């Protein structure tokens, strides 16, 4: 595929001008968001947008119909949702939503946090295209079957398999996943080309990024909606978002019940570590 333009993915600092106003995309690595930040998103949607939170298949949140995009960006930054303006468009990480809570071969929450921090600290990787996607699967296979550029799936609590565009690259210790993924991202930048014809994805490269072999992901299931018993005895509540949309008042209600939430790639929201079984999830 030959590109004729640079990617135009929206972000917080780069709105997309639509018929109903500006669209802002807020990247939530692994879908993780604090209750305070989700409430801030709802407030911005209410006061500067169309009043809804629009969830994406990459577990991000979009605000549509925005008037005053600069003011919205400042408020989202103040809520901790824009840690580095230079990296606004590149914090694209999908991760198993329930990792470390129930099931899976490894708890990837520390890996996710380290990957995001390392990505933010790397000035060169700010040049990644806005569509380049990193993936972390804790071994259950719930996200590894989706489309991505580079990623890793846990083999057990200490080992992972590096993945490149749906194929297997090599096995590494779980502790080495973050530097290995950043190395792959750097390799992609070095060969993607320049200007409007540069590749957005690994699959668009003329040659293999690294040696790979065919690989079939495990067929993991998405978490059911409703109450989910965690391995630590606490509870999660998986809330559906019809048509991928959550009204701002509903988002605030969900946020009020928990301090930590996870937006899923299937356009739902999970409130985690609840002390009691949720009644209305």
């Amino acid at each position: 595929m030959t590109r004729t333009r640079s990617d135009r993915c929206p972000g917080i600092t780069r709105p997309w001008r639509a018929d109903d106003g500006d669209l802002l995309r807020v990247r939530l690595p692994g879908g993780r968001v604090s209750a305070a930040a989700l409430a801030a998103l709802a407030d911005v949607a209410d006061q500067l947008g169309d009043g809804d939170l629009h969830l994406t298949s990459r577990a991000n949140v979009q605000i549509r119909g925005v008037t005053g995009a600069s003011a919205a960006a400042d408020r989202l930054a103040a809520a901790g949702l824009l840690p580095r303006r230079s990296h606004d468009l590149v914090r694209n990480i999908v991760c198993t939503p329930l990792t470390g809570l129930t099931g899976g071969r490894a708890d990837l929450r520390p890996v996710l946090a380290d990957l995001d921090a390392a990505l933010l600290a790397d000035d060169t990787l700010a040049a990644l295209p806005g569509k380049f996607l990193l993936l972390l699967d804790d071994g259950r296979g719930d996200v590894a079957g989706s489309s991505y550029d580079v990623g890793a799936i846990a083999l057990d609590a200490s080992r992972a398999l590096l993945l490149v565009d749906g194929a297997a690259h090599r096995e590494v210790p779980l502790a080495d996943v973050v530097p290995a993924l950043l190395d792959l991202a750097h390799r992609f930048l070095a060969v993607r080309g320049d200007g409007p014809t540069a590749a957005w994805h690994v699959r668009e490269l003329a040659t293999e990024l690294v040696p790979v072999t065919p690989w079939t992901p495990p067929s993991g299931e998405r978490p059911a909606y409703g109450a989910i018993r965690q391995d630590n005895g606490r509870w999660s509540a998986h809330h559906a978002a019809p048509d991928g949309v959550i009204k701002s008042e509903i988002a605030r209600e969900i946020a009020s019940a928990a301090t930590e939430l996870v937006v899923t790639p299937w356009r739902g929201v999970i409130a985690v570590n609840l002390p009691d079984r949720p009644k209305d999830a």
Side-chain angles (χ1 to χ4, degrees), residues 110-126:
V111 180
L112 172 63
D114 288 348
L115 179 58
D116 185 37
L119 185 63
L120 285 167
D122 193 316
D123 292 339
T124 301
L125 294 184

Side-chain angles (χ1 to χ4, degrees), residues 167-184:
H169 174 38
R170 62 186 175 92
E171 183 181 316
V172 297
L174 196 63
D176 292 343
V177 162
V178 170
L181 290 180
L182 264 61
D183 175 67
L184 290 171

Side-chain angles (χ1 to χ4, degrees), residues 188-211:
F188 172 78
L189 278 180
V191 299
R192 68 181 290 252
D194 299 305
T197 61
W200 297 352
H201 296 292
V202 168
R203 63 179 177 271
E204 297 169 1
L205 298 175
T207 59
E208 284 188 342
L209 182 67
V210 289

Side-chain angles (χ1 to χ4, degrees), residues 88-109:
D88 176 26
L89 305 176
V90 302
R91 298 172 70 216
N92 298 303
I93 308 172
V94 168
C95 182
T96 296
L98 288 176
T99 187
L101 298 172
T102 181
R105 296 172 181 164
D107 181 357
L108 294 187
R109 291 175 296 181

Side-chain angles (χ1 to χ4, degrees), residues 3-25:
R3 293 289 176 198
T4 58
R5 63 173 177 83
S6 300
D7 84 87
R8 300 172 184 168
C9 275
I12 296 175
T13 60
R14 187 170 75 180
W16 174 266
R17 181 58 56 86
D19 292 340
D20 60 347
D22 285 337
L23 181 153
L24 303 186
R25 180 174 297 160

Side-chain angles (χ1 to χ4, degrees), residues 1 38 55 85 116-117 125 139 172 176 215 244 280:
M1 179 183 295
L38 185 63
L55 312 186
R85 289 178 180 263
D116 185 37
L125 294 184
V172 297
D176 292 343
W215 177 78
D280 301 320

